[in-house]
Amino acid sequence: MRIAVAGGTGWVGKLVVSAVREAGHEPRVISRSEGVDLTTGRGLERALDGVERVIDASNIVTTGRSRSVAFFEAATSHLLRAGQAAGVSHHVVLSIVGIDRVDYGYYAGKRAQESLAADSDVPSSVLRATQFHEFAAQMLARGGPFAIAPRMRCQPVAAREVADALVELALGAPQGLAPDLAGPEERDMVQMVRQLHRARGGRRPVLPLKLPGKVGREMVGGALLPTAPGPRGKTTFDEWVGAEAG
C-alpha cells in the first residue's frame, strides 16, 4: 500500500520512510523539498493521491507556545482535510509522553495536534514516545563554545524503534491514543549528552540547563516518564552510543 510520511526528511521521518519500504510498502514523502507545504496545504492534494495511510512525523524547532500551536494546528488541519478528500483510512500522529503533565510551550502545539486528530472524521491513532536517544545528538549538533543539556529524567528510546512502531501502528486498525512507547531504562539527559560527547572525543563543556519554574521541576521530577505499561524499546542508550560513535 502507499503510505505518506509527513516530515519524511526529518530525524524520525527518514527512518519511517525506510521502515515503510522494509515492510514492503510504498512511501510517499511529504515535505517542502517535495513541493508540499503543510502550513498552507500547497501540494497536498497531489501528494496524497492514491495514499491509504498517513504517518505524521512533522515538526517545528521552537520552544514558543504560539509558534508551536500555529504550526501544528495548520499542518494537522491541512493533512486531515486533504486525507479525508483522498480517502485515507488511517492517520497516525507521533507525539510525546507526558505532554499533558508538563505545560511547556512546544507541548501545547502537540496537544492541539492530538486533539485535531481525535476530533477528525479520518480514523486516527496517536503514538506517544519518550525522548529519542538521538535527542542527545541534537543537543551536541548546536554550535557554540559549549553544549546545552536540559535537566530532565527520561526513558529514552531509539528513533528507529519508534519508526518501526509507527509503521506497525499505521498498518493496523485505528486505536485512538495507543499505549506509550518508551525505552528500556530511565536516564538523566545531562549525563546522556556528556556520555555521547565523550564517546565522540568532544571537548566542549556540557552545561546543564534547568527550565524555570514549574516546568523545570516537572521535567526533573519525572513527569515525562511513562506511567502505565506499554511497549518498550530494546536498544539501551549505551548500546546506541557504542554503535553511533563506533
Side-chain angles (χ1 to χ4, degrees), residues 6 15 19 33 36 43 47 50-51 71 82 102 106 108 112 114 128 142 145 153 157 176 183 213 217 220 231-232 244:
L15 297 173
S33 63
V36 184
V51 166
F71 171 81
V102 179
Y106 174 76
E114 290 187 2
R128 290 179 174 178
R142 297 177 178 178
R153 292 296 299 174
V157 62
R217 293 193 299 271
V220 172
R232 299 293 179 258
E244 200 273 348

mmCIF file with all atom_site columns, all heavy atoms in Angstrom, residues 6 15 19 33 36 43 47 50-51 71 82 102 106 108 112 114 128 142 145 153 157 176 183 213 217 220 231-232 244:
data_model
loop_
_atom_site.group_PDB
_atom_site.id
_atom_site.type_symbol
_atom_site.label_atom_id
_atom_site.label_alt_id
_atom_site.label_comp_id
_atom_site.label_asym_id
_atom_site.label_entity_id
_atom_site.label_seq_id
_atom_site.pdbx_PDB_ins_code
_atom_site.Cartn_x
_atom_site.Cartn_y
_atom_site.Cartn_z
_atom_site.occupancy
_atom_site.B_iso_or_equiv
_atom_site.pdbx_formal_charge
_atom_site.auth_seq_id
_atom_site.auth_comp_id
_atom_site.auth_asym_id
_atom_site.auth_atom_id
_atom_site.pdbx_PDB_model_num
ATOM 1   N N   . ALA A 1 6   ? 4.518  12.474 6.519  1.00 0.00 ? 6   ALA A N   1
ATOM 2   C CA  . ALA A 1 6   ? 4.688  13.915 6.671  1.00 0.00 ? 6   ALA A CA  1
ATOM 3   C C   . ALA A 1 6   ? 5.930  14.180 7.516  1.00 0.00 ? 6   ALA A C   1
ATOM 4   O O   . ALA A 1 6   ? 6.119  13.563 8.559  1.00 0.00 ? 6   ALA A O   1
ATOM 5   C CB  . ALA A 1 6   ? 3.456  14.527 7.333  1.00 0.00 ? 6   ALA A CB  1
ATOM 6   N N   . LEU A 1 15  ? 13.655 7.722  8.977  1.00 0.00 ? 15  LEU A N   1
ATOM 7   C CA  . LEU A 1 15  ? 13.617 6.337  9.459  1.00 0.00 ? 15  LEU A CA  1
ATOM 8   C C   . LEU A 1 15  ? 12.254 5.706  9.198  1.00 0.00 ? 15  LEU A C   1
ATOM 9   O O   . LEU A 1 15  ? 12.160 4.503  8.914  1.00 0.00 ? 15  LEU A O   1
ATOM 10  C CB  . LEU A 1 15  ? 13.945 6.306  10.950 1.00 0.00 ? 15  LEU A CB  1
ATOM 11  C CG  . LEU A 1 15  ? 15.348 6.791  11.332 1.00 0.00 ? 15  LEU A CG  1
ATOM 12  C CD1 . LEU A 1 15  ? 15.491 6.865  12.851 1.00 0.00 ? 15  LEU A CD1 1
ATOM 13  C CD2 . LEU A 1 15  ? 16.424 5.886  10.744 1.00 0.00 ? 15  LEU A CD2 1
ATOM 14  N N   . ALA A 1 19  ? 11.470 2.384  7.100  1.00 0.00 ? 19  ALA A N   1
ATOM 15  C CA  . ALA A 1 19  ? 10.691 1.296  7.696  1.00 0.00 ? 19  ALA A CA  1
ATOM 16  C C   . ALA A 1 19  ? 9.492  0.921  6.829  1.00 0.00 ? 19  ALA A C   1
ATOM 17  O O   . ALA A 1 19  ? 9.115  -0.254 6.740  1.00 0.00 ? 19  ALA A O   1
ATOM 18  C CB  . ALA A 1 19  ? 10.227 1.691  9.100  1.00 0.00 ? 19  ALA A CB  1
ATOM 19  N N   . SER A 1 33  ? 10.748 20.019 0.470  1.00 0.00 ? 33  SER A N   1
ATOM 20  C CA  . SER A 1 33  ? 11.673 19.645 -0.602 1.00 0.00 ? 33  SER A CA  1
ATOM 21  C C   . SER A 1 33  ? 10.970 18.861 -1.706 1.00 0.00 ? 33  SER A C   1
ATOM 22  O O   . SER A 1 33  ? 11.471 18.769 -2.833 1.00 0.00 ? 33  SER A O   1
ATOM 23  C CB  . SER A 1 33  ? 12.833 18.819 -0.039 1.00 0.00 ? 33  SER A CB  1
ATOM 24  O OG  . SER A 1 33  ? 12.365 17.599 0.507  1.00 0.00 ? 33  SER A OG  1
ATOM 25  N N   . VAL A 1 36  ? 5.646  20.287 -1.110 1.00 0.00 ? 36  VAL A N   1
ATOM 26  C CA  . VAL A 1 36  ? 4.438  20.294 -0.285 1.00 0.00 ? 36  VAL A CA  1
ATOM 27  C C   . VAL A 1 36  ? 4.666  21.180 0.937  1.00 0.00 ? 36  VAL A C   1
ATOM 28  O O   . VAL A 1 36  ? 5.686  21.048 1.622  1.00 0.00 ? 36  VAL A O   1
ATOM 29  C CB  . VAL A 1 36  ? 4.057  18.874 0.181  1.00 0.00 ? 36  VAL A CB  1
ATOM 30  C CG1 . VAL A 1 36  ? 2.749  18.908 0.958  1.00 0.00 ? 36  VAL A CG1 1
ATOM 31  C CG2 . VAL A 1 36  ? 3.955  17.926 -1.007 1.00 0.00 ? 36  VAL A CG2 1
ATOM 32  N N   . GLY A 1 43  ? 0.156  21.609 -2.445 1.00 0.00 ? 43  GLY A N   1
ATOM 33  C CA  . GLY A 1 43  ? 0.716  20.359 -2.922 1.00 0.00 ? 43  GLY A CA  1
ATOM 34  C C   . GLY A 1 43  ? 0.176  19.115 -2.253 1.00 0.00 ? 43  GLY A C   1
ATOM 35  O O   . GLY A 1 43  ? 0.518  17.993 -2.663 1.00 0.00 ? 43  GLY A O   1
ATOM 36  N N   . ALA A 1 47  ? 0.050  15.092 -3.400 1.00 0.00 ? 47  ALA A N   1
ATOM 37  C CA  . ALA A 1 47  ? 0.884  14.198 -2.592 1.00 0.00 ? 47  ALA A CA  1
ATOM 38  C C   . ALA A 1 47  ? 0.096  13.032 -2.014 1.00 0.00 ? 47  ALA A C   1
ATOM 39  O O   . ALA A 1 47  ? 0.640  11.939 -1.825 1.00 0.00 ? 47  ALA A O   1
ATOM 40  C CB  . ALA A 1 47  ? 1.547  14.982 -1.463 1.00 0.00 ? 47  ALA A CB  1
ATOM 41  N N   . GLY A 1 50  ? -3.899 8.519  -4.100 1.00 0.00 ? 50  GLY A N   1
ATOM 42  C CA  . GLY A 1 50  ? -3.640 7.089  -4.000 1.00 0.00 ? 50  GLY A CA  1
ATOM 43  C C   . GLY A 1 50  ? -3.089 6.628  -2.670 1.00 0.00 ? 50  GLY A C   1
ATOM 44  O O   . GLY A 1 50  ? -2.760 5.442  -2.518 1.00 0.00 ? 50  GLY A O   1
ATOM 45  N N   . VAL A 1 51  ? -2.982 7.520  -1.698 1.00 0.00 ? 51  VAL A N   1
ATOM 46  C CA  . VAL A 1 51  ? -2.437 7.177  -0.380 1.00 0.00 ? 51  VAL A CA  1
ATOM 47  C C   . VAL A 1 51  ? -3.535 6.577  0.493  1.00 0.00 ? 51  VAL A C   1
ATOM 48  O O   . VAL A 1 51  ? -4.649 7.106  0.553  1.00 0.00 ? 51  VAL A O   1
ATOM 49  C CB  . VAL A 1 51  ? -1.819 8.424  0.292  1.00 0.00 ? 51  VAL A CB  1
ATOM 50  C CG1 . VAL A 1 51  ? -1.569 8.186  1.775  1.00 0.00 ? 51  VAL A CG1 1
ATOM 51  C CG2 . VAL A 1 51  ? -0.533 8.815  -0.415 1.00 0.00 ? 51  VAL A CG2 1
ATOM 52  N N   . PHE A 1 71  ? 1.800  26.203 14.119 1.00 0.00 ? 71  PHE A N   1
ATOM 53  C CA  . PHE A 1 71  ? 2.307  25.226 13.148 1.00 0.00 ? 71  PHE A CA  1
ATOM 54  C C   . PHE A 1 71  ? 1.480  23.947 13.173 1.00 0.00 ? 71  PHE A C   1
ATOM 55  O O   . PHE A 1 71  ? 1.011  23.474 12.125 1.00 0.00 ? 71  PHE A O   1
ATOM 56  C CB  . PHE A 1 71  ? 3.768  24.895 13.418 1.00 0.00 ? 71  PHE A CB  1
ATOM 57  C CG  . PHE A 1 71  ? 4.272  23.744 12.581 1.00 0.00 ? 71  PHE A CG  1
ATOM 58  C CD1 . PHE A 1 71  ? 4.659  23.944 11.269 1.00 0.00 ? 71  PHE A CD1 1
ATOM 59  C CD2 . PHE A 1 71  ? 4.327  22.456 13.099 1.00 0.00 ? 71  PHE A CD2 1
ATOM 60  C CE1 . PHE A 1 71  ? 5.095  22.885 10.474 1.00 0.00 ? 71  PHE A CE1 1
ATOM 61  C CE2 . PHE A 1 71  ? 4.760  21.388 12.321 1.00 0.00 ? 71  PHE A CE2 1
ATOM 62  C CZ  . PHE A 1 71  ? 5.149  21.603 11.000 1.00 0.00 ? 71  PHE A CZ  1
ATOM 63  N N   . ALA A 1 82  ? -7.102 17.137 3.627  1.00 0.00 ? 82  ALA A N   1
ATOM 64  C CA  . ALA A 1 82  ? -6.687 16.518 2.361  1.00 0.00 ? 82  ALA A CA  1
ATOM 65  C C   . ALA A 1 82  ? -6.786 15.002 2.439  1.00 0.00 ? 82  ALA A C   1
ATOM 66  O O   . ALA A 1 82  ? -7.132 14.335 1.463  1.00 0.00 ? 82  ALA A O   1
ATOM 67  C CB  . ALA A 1 82  ? -5.266 16.947 2.018  1.00 0.00 ? 82  ALA A CB  1
ATOM 68  N N   . VAL A 1 102 ? 3.047  18.366 31.573 1.00 0.00 ? 102 VAL A N   1
ATOM 69  C CA  . VAL A 1 102 ? 4.043  19.443 31.607 1.00 0.00 ? 102 VAL A CA  1
ATOM 70  C C   . VAL A 1 102 ? 3.564  20.562 30.680 1.00 0.00 ? 102 VAL A C   1
ATOM 71  O O   . VAL A 1 102 ? 3.390  20.345 29.483 1.00 0.00 ? 102 VAL A O   1
ATOM 72  C CB  . VAL A 1 102 ? 5.429  18.939 31.144 1.00 0.00 ? 102 VAL A CB  1
ATOM 73  C CG1 . VAL A 1 102 ? 6.442  20.079 31.168 1.00 0.00 ? 102 VAL A CG1 1
ATOM 74  C CG2 . VAL A 1 102 ? 5.906  17.794 32.027 1.00 0.00 ? 102 VAL A CG2 1
ATOM 75  N N   . TYR A 1 106 ? 6.151  24.214 23.635 1.00 0.00 ? 106 TYR A N   1
ATOM 76  C CA  . TYR A 1 106 ? 6.139  23.327 22.470 1.00 0.00 ? 106 TYR A CA  1
ATOM 77  C C   . TYR A 1 106 ? 5.063  22.252 22.616 1.00 0.00 ? 106 TYR A C   1
ATOM 78  O O   . TYR A 1 106 ? 4.402  21.880 21.641 1.00 0.00 ? 106 TYR A O   1
ATOM 79  C CB  . TYR A 1 106 ? 7.506  22.685 22.306 1.00 0.00 ? 106 TYR A CB  1
ATOM 80  C CG  . TYR A 1 106 ? 7.574  21.635 21.221 1.00 0.00 ? 106 TYR A CG  1
ATOM 81  C CD1 . TYR A 1 106 ? 7.616  21.996 19.878 1.00 0.00 ? 106 TYR A CD1 1
ATOM 82  C CD2 . TYR A 1 106 ? 7.600  20.277 21.535 1.00 0.00 ? 106 TYR A CD2 1
ATOM 83  C CE1 . TYR A 1 106 ? 7.666  21.034 18.876 1.00 0.00 ? 106 TYR A CE1 1
ATOM 84  C CE2 . TYR A 1 106 ? 7.658  19.311 20.547 1.00 0.00 ? 106 TYR A CE2 1
ATOM 85  C CZ  . TYR A 1 106 ? 7.693  19.691 19.217 1.00 0.00 ? 106 TYR A CZ  1
ATOM 86  O OH  . TYR A 1 106 ? 7.749  18.742 18.230 1.00 0.00 ? 106 TYR A OH  1
ATOM 87  N N   . ALA A 1 108 ? 2.225  22.451 23.952 1.00 0.00 ? 108 ALA A N   1
ATOM 88  C CA  . ALA A 1 108 ? 0.879  22.956 23.680 1.00 0.00 ? 108 ALA A CA  1
ATOM 89  C C   . ALA A 1 108 ? 0.495  22.690 22.228 1.00 0.00 ? 108 ALA A C   1
ATOM 90  O O   . ALA A 1 108 ? -0.657 22.362 21.922 1.00 0.00 ? 108 ALA A O   1
ATOM 91  C CB  . ALA A 1 108 ? 0.798  24.456 23.984 1.00 0.00 ? 108 ALA A CB  1
ATOM 92  N N   . ALA A 1 112 ? -2.567 20.264 20.776 1.00 0.00 ? 112 ALA A N   1
ATOM 93  C CA  . ALA A 1 112 ? -3.519 20.706 19.761 1.00 0.00 ? 112 ALA A CA  1
ATOM 94  C C   . ALA A 1 112 ? -3.548 19.723 18.594 1.00 0.00 ? 112 ALA A C   1
ATOM 95  O O   . ALA A 1 112 ? -4.624 19.409 18.051 1.00 0.00 ? 112 ALA A O   1
ATOM 96  C CB  . ALA A 1 112 ? -3.141 22.104 19.273 1.00 0.00 ? 112 ALA A CB  1
ATOM 97  N N   . GLU A 1 114 ? -2.882 16.479 18.674 1.00 0.00 ? 114 GLU A N   1
ATOM 98  C CA  . GLU A 1 114 ? -3.608 15.282 19.113 1.00 0.00 ? 114 GLU A CA  1
ATOM 99  C C   . GLU A 1 114 ? -5.118 15.503 19.096 1.00 0.00 ? 114 GLU A C   1
ATOM 100 O O   . GLU A 1 114 ? -5.887 14.633 18.657 1.00 0.00 ? 114 GLU A O   1
ATOM 101 C CB  . GLU A 1 114 ? -3.170 14.891 20.524 1.00 0.00 ? 114 GLU A CB  1
ATOM 102 C CG  . GLU A 1 114 ? -1.765 14.340 20.633 1.00 0.00 ? 114 GLU A CG  1
ATOM 103 C CD  . GLU A 1 114 ? -1.460 13.816 22.027 1.00 0.00 ? 114 GLU A CD  1
ATOM 104 O OE1 . GLU A 1 114 ? -2.368 13.851 22.899 1.00 0.00 ? 114 GLU A OE1 1
ATOM 105 O OE2 . GLU A 1 114 ? -0.335 13.381 22.247 1.00 0.00 ? 114 GLU A OE2 1
ATOM 106 N N   . ARG A 1 128 ? 2.423  8.153  21.482 1.00 0.00 ? 128 ARG A N   1
ATOM 107 C CA  . ARG A 1 128 ? 3.315  8.994  22.282 1.00 0.00 ? 128 ARG A CA  1
ATOM 108 C C   . ARG A 1 128 ? 4.586  8.207  22.590 1.00 0.00 ? 128 ARG A C   1
ATOM 109 O O   . ARG A 1 128 ? 4.505  7.080  23.086 1.00 0.00 ? 128 ARG A O   1
ATOM 110 C CB  . ARG A 1 128 ? 2.641  9.408  23.590 1.00 0.00 ? 128 ARG A CB  1
ATOM 111 C CG  . ARG A 1 128 ? 1.509  10.401 23.419 1.00 0.00 ? 128 ARG A CG  1
ATOM 112 C CD  . ARG A 1 128 ? 0.892  10.738 24.755 1.00 0.00 ? 128 ARG A CD  1
ATOM 113 N NE  . ARG A 1 128 ? -0.110 11.796 24.659 1.00 0.00 ? 128 ARG A NE  1
ATOM 114 C CZ  . ARG A 1 128 ? -0.813 12.246 25.681 1.00 0.00 ? 128 ARG A CZ  1
ATOM 115 N NH1 . ARG A 1 128 ? -0.642 11.714 26.896 1.00 0.00 ? 128 ARG A NH1 1
ATOM 116 N NH2 . ARG A 1 128 ? -1.695 13.216 25.519 1.00 0.00 ? 128 ARG A NH2 1
ATOM 117 N N   . ARG A 1 142 ? 24.177 21.586 17.977 1.00 0.00 ? 142 ARG A N   1
ATOM 118 C CA  . ARG A 1 142 ? 24.063 23.039 18.023 1.00 0.00 ? 142 ARG A CA  1
ATOM 119 C C   . ARG A 1 142 ? 25.449 23.646 18.199 1.00 0.00 ? 142 ARG A C   1
ATOM 120 O O   . ARG A 1 142 ? 26.256 23.168 18.977 1.00 0.00 ? 142 ARG A O   1
ATOM 121 C CB  . ARG A 1 142 ? 23.144 23.465 19.172 1.00 0.00 ? 142 ARG A CB  1
ATOM 122 C CG  . ARG A 1 142 ? 21.717 22.952 18.999 1.00 0.00 ? 142 ARG A CG  1
ATOM 123 C CD  . ARG A 1 142 ? 20.843 23.325 20.176 1.00 0.00 ? 142 ARG A CD  1
ATOM 124 N NE  . ARG A 1 142 ? 19.469 22.863 19.988 1.00 0.00 ? 142 ARG A NE  1
ATOM 125 C CZ  . ARG A 1 142 ? 18.496 23.009 20.871 1.00 0.00 ? 142 ARG A CZ  1
ATOM 126 N NH1 . ARG A 1 142 ? 18.743 23.608 22.029 1.00 0.00 ? 142 ARG A NH1 1
ATOM 127 N NH2 . ARG A 1 142 ? 17.286 22.561 20.626 1.00 0.00 ? 142 ARG A NH2 1
ATOM 128 N N   . PRO A 1 145 ? 30.447 27.654 21.839 1.00 0.00 ? 145 PRO A N   1
ATOM 129 C CA  . PRO A 1 145 ? 31.600 27.196 22.616 1.00 0.00 ? 145 PRO A CA  1
ATOM 130 C C   . PRO A 1 145 ? 31.260 26.113 23.640 1.00 0.00 ? 145 PRO A C   1
ATOM 131 O O   . PRO A 1 145 ? 32.158 25.476 24.184 1.00 0.00 ? 145 PRO A O   1
ATOM 132 C CB  . PRO A 1 145 ? 32.074 28.469 23.325 1.00 0.00 ? 145 PRO A CB  1
ATOM 133 C CG  . PRO A 1 145 ? 30.837 29.324 23.420 1.00 0.00 ? 145 PRO A CG  1
ATOM 134 C CD  . PRO A 1 145 ? 30.042 29.026 22.183 1.00 0.00 ? 145 PRO A CD  1
ATOM 135 N N   . ARG A 1 153 ? 14.547 13.885 33.749 1.00 0.00 ? 153 ARG A N   1
ATOM 136 C CA  . ARG A 1 153 ? 14.548 12.429 33.797 1.00 0.00 ? 153 ARG A CA  1
ATOM 137 C C   . ARG A 1 153 ? 13.782 11.926 32.591 1.00 0.00 ? 153 ARG A C   1
ATOM 138 O O   . ARG A 1 153 ? 12.730 12.463 32.239 1.00 0.00 ? 153 ARG A O   1
ATOM 139 C CB  . ARG A 1 153 ? 13.877 11.914 35.075 1.00 0.00 ? 153 ARG A CB  1
ATOM 140 C CG  . ARG A 1 153 ? 14.624 12.205 36.351 1.00 0.00 ? 153 ARG A CG  1
ATOM 141 C CD  . ARG A 1 153 ? 15.975 11.522 36.406 1.00 0.00 ? 153 ARG A CD  1
ATOM 142 N NE  . ARG A 1 153 ? 15.873 10.052 36.331 1.00 0.00 ? 153 ARG A NE  1
ATOM 143 C CZ  . ARG A 1 153 ? 16.932 9.258  36.242 1.00 0.00 ? 153 ARG A CZ  1
ATOM 144 N NH1 . ARG A 1 153 ? 18.159 9.752  36.174 1.00 0.00 ? 153 ARG A NH1 1
ATOM 145 N NH2 . ARG A 1 153 ? 16.768 7.937  36.184 1.00 0.00 ? 153 ARG A NH2 1
ATOM 146 N N   . VAL A 1 157 ? 14.406 6.173  23.980 1.00 0.00 ? 157 VAL A N   1
ATOM 147 C CA  . VAL A 1 157 ? 14.154 5.068  23.061 1.00 0.00 ? 157 VAL A CA  1
ATOM 148 C C   . VAL A 1 157 ? 14.842 5.383  21.735 1.00 0.00 ? 157 VAL A C   1
ATOM 149 O O   . VAL A 1 157 ? 14.976 6.557  21.352 1.00 0.00 ? 157 VAL A O   1
ATOM 150 C CB  . VAL A 1 157 ? 12.629 4.869  22.868 1.00 0.00 ? 157 VAL A CB  1
ATOM 151 C CG1 . VAL A 1 157 ? 11.979 6.102  22.258 1.00 0.00 ? 157 VAL A CG1 1
ATOM 152 C CG2 . VAL A 1 157 ? 12.334 3.634  22.039 1.00 0.00 ? 157 VAL A CG2 1
ATOM 153 N N   . GLY A 1 176 ? -6.958 5.247  18.404 1.00 0.00 ? 176 GLY A N   1
ATOM 154 C CA  . GLY A 1 176 ? -7.067 6.429  19.232 1.00 0.00 ? 176 GLY A CA  1
ATOM 155 C C   . GLY A 1 176 ? -5.722 6.675  19.900 1.00 0.00 ? 176 GLY A C   1
ATOM 156 O O   . GLY A 1 176 ? -4.697 6.715  19.225 1.00 0.00 ? 176 GLY A O   1
ATOM 157 N N   . GLY A 1 183 ? 11.754 3.683  26.183 1.00 0.00 ? 183 GLY A N   1
ATOM 158 C CA  . GLY A 1 183 ? 12.957 2.876  26.106 1.00 0.00 ? 183 GLY A CA  1
ATOM 159 C C   . GLY A 1 183 ? 13.053 1.902  27.264 1.00 0.00 ? 183 GLY A C   1
ATOM 160 O O   . GLY A 1 183 ? 12.169 1.835  28.132 1.00 0.00 ? 183 GLY A O   1
ATOM 161 N N   . GLY A 1 213 ? 10.850 27.539 36.861 1.00 0.00 ? 213 GLY A N   1
ATOM 162 C CA  . GLY A 1 213 ? 9.520  27.339 37.423 1.00 0.00 ? 213 GLY A CA  1
ATOM 163 C C   . GLY A 1 213 ? 9.029  25.917 37.457 1.00 0.00 ? 213 GLY A C   1
ATOM 164 O O   . GLY A 1 213 ? 9.799  24.949 37.529 1.00 0.00 ? 213 GLY A O   1
ATOM 165 N N   . ARG A 1 217 ? 10.732 21.915 37.261 1.00 0.00 ? 217 ARG A N   1
ATOM 166 C CA  . ARG A 1 217 ? 10.570 20.955 38.354 1.00 0.00 ? 217 ARG A CA  1
ATOM 167 C C   . ARG A 1 217 ? 9.902  19.670 37.873 1.00 0.00 ? 217 ARG A C   1
ATOM 168 O O   . ARG A 1 217 ? 10.273 18.566 38.287 1.00 0.00 ? 217 ARG A O   1
ATOM 169 C CB  . ARG A 1 217 ? 9.743  21.580 39.483 1.00 0.00 ? 217 ARG A CB  1
ATOM 170 C CG  . ARG A 1 217 ? 10.443 22.724 40.204 1.00 0.00 ? 217 ARG A CG  1
ATOM 171 C CD  . ARG A 1 217 ? 9.730  23.104 41.495 1.00 0.00 ? 217 ARG A CD  1
ATOM 172 N NE  . ARG A 1 217 ? 8.363  23.562 41.256 1.00 0.00 ? 217 ARG A NE  1
ATOM 173 C CZ  . ARG A 1 217 ? 8.030  24.834 41.009 1.00 0.00 ? 217 ARG A CZ  1
ATOM 174 N NH1 . ARG A 1 217 ? 8.967  25.762 40.929 1.00 0.00 ? 217 ARG A NH1 1
ATOM 175 N NH2 . ARG A 1 217 ? 6.759  25.180 40.818 1.00 0.00 ? 217 ARG A NH2 1
ATOM 176 N N   . VAL A 1 220 ? 12.472 17.550 35.767 1.00 0.00 ? 220 VAL A N   1
ATOM 177 C CA  . VAL A 1 220 ? 13.465 16.920 36.645 1.00 0.00 ? 220 VAL A CA  1
ATOM 178 C C   . VAL A 1 220 ? 12.808 15.832 37.489 1.00 0.00 ? 220 VAL A C   1
ATOM 179 O O   . VAL A 1 220 ? 13.413 14.792 37.792 1.00 0.00 ? 220 VAL A O   1
ATOM 180 C CB  . VAL A 1 220 ? 14.139 17.976 37.547 1.00 0.00 ? 220 VAL A CB  1
ATOM 181 C CG1 . VAL A 1 220 ? 15.030 17.309 38.589 1.00 0.00 ? 220 VAL A CG1 1
ATOM 182 C CG2 . VAL A 1 220 ? 14.976 18.940 36.702 1.00 0.00 ? 220 VAL A CG2 1
ATOM 183 N N   . PRO A 1 231 ? 4.524  -0.744 25.288 1.00 0.00 ? 231 PRO A N   1
ATOM 184 C CA  . PRO A 1 231 ? 5.676  -1.294 24.564 1.00 0.00 ? 231 PRO A CA  1
ATOM 185 C C   . PRO A 1 231 ? 6.966  -0.607 24.991 1.00 0.00 ? 231 PRO A C   1
ATOM 186 O O   . PRO A 1 231 ? 6.977  0.593  25.283 1.00 0.00 ? 231 PRO A O   1
ATOM 187 C CB  . PRO A 1 231 ? 5.348  -1.010 23.100 1.00 0.00 ? 231 PRO A CB  1
ATOM 188 C CG  . PRO A 1 231 ? 4.385  0.139  23.143 1.00 0.00 ? 231 PRO A CG  1
ATOM 189 C CD  . PRO A 1 231 ? 3.600  -0.036 24.392 1.00 0.00 ? 231 PRO A CD  1
ATOM 190 N N   . ARG A 1 232 ? 8.044  -1.371 25.032 1.00 0.00 ? 232 ARG A N   1
ATOM 191 C CA  . ARG A 1 232 ? 9.348  -0.846 25.428 1.00 0.00 ? 232 ARG A CA  1
ATOM 192 C C   . ARG A 1 232 ? 10.384 -1.203 24.369 1.00 0.00 ? 232 ARG A C   1
ATOM 193 O O   . ARG A 1 232 ? 10.451 -2.347 23.907 1.00 0.00 ? 232 ARG A O   1
ATOM 194 C CB  . ARG A 1 232 ? 9.786  -1.411 26.791 1.00 0.00 ? 232 ARG A CB  1
ATOM 195 C CG  . ARG A 1 232 ? 8.846  -1.053 27.945 1.00 0.00 ? 232 ARG A CG  1
ATOM 196 C CD  . ARG A 1 232 ? 8.867  0.444  28.231 1.00 0.00 ? 232 ARG A CD  1
ATOM 197 N NE  . ARG A 1 232 ? 7.968  0.831  29.317 1.00 0.00 ? 232 ARG A NE  1
ATOM 198 C CZ  . ARG A 1 232 ? 6.771  1.386  29.146 1.00 0.00 ? 232 ARG A CZ  1
ATOM 199 N NH1 . ARG A 1 232 ? 6.307  1.592  27.917 1.00 0.00 ? 232 ARG A NH1 1
ATOM 200 N NH2 . ARG A 1 232 ? 6.031  1.736  30.175 1.00 0.00 ? 232 ARG A NH2 1
ATOM 201 N N   . GLU A 1 244 ? 26.772 4.331  17.493 1.00 0.00 ? 244 GLU A N   1
ATOM 202 C CA  . GLU A 1 244 ? 26.818 5.629  16.842 1.00 0.00 ? 244 GLU A CA  1
ATOM 203 C C   . GLU A 1 244 ? 28.237 6.199  16.800 1.00 0.00 ? 244 GLU A C   1
ATOM 204 O O   . GLU A 1 244 ? 28.639 6.823  15.819 1.00 0.00 ? 244 GLU A O   1
ATOM 205 C CB  . GLU A 1 244 ? 25.891 6.606  17.585 1.00 0.00 ? 244 GLU A CB  1
ATOM 206 C CG  . GLU A 1 244 ? 25.466 7.821  16.790 1.00 0.00 ? 244 GLU A CG  1
ATOM 207 C CD  . GLU A 1 244 ? 26.459 8.974  16.881 1.00 0.00 ? 244 GLU A CD  1
ATOM 208 O OE1 . GLU A 1 244 ? 27.372 8.925  17.730 1.00 0.00 ? 244 GLU A OE1 1
ATOM 209 O OE2 . GLU A 1 244 ? 26.318 9.911  16.084 1.00 0.00 ? 244 GLU A OE2 1
#
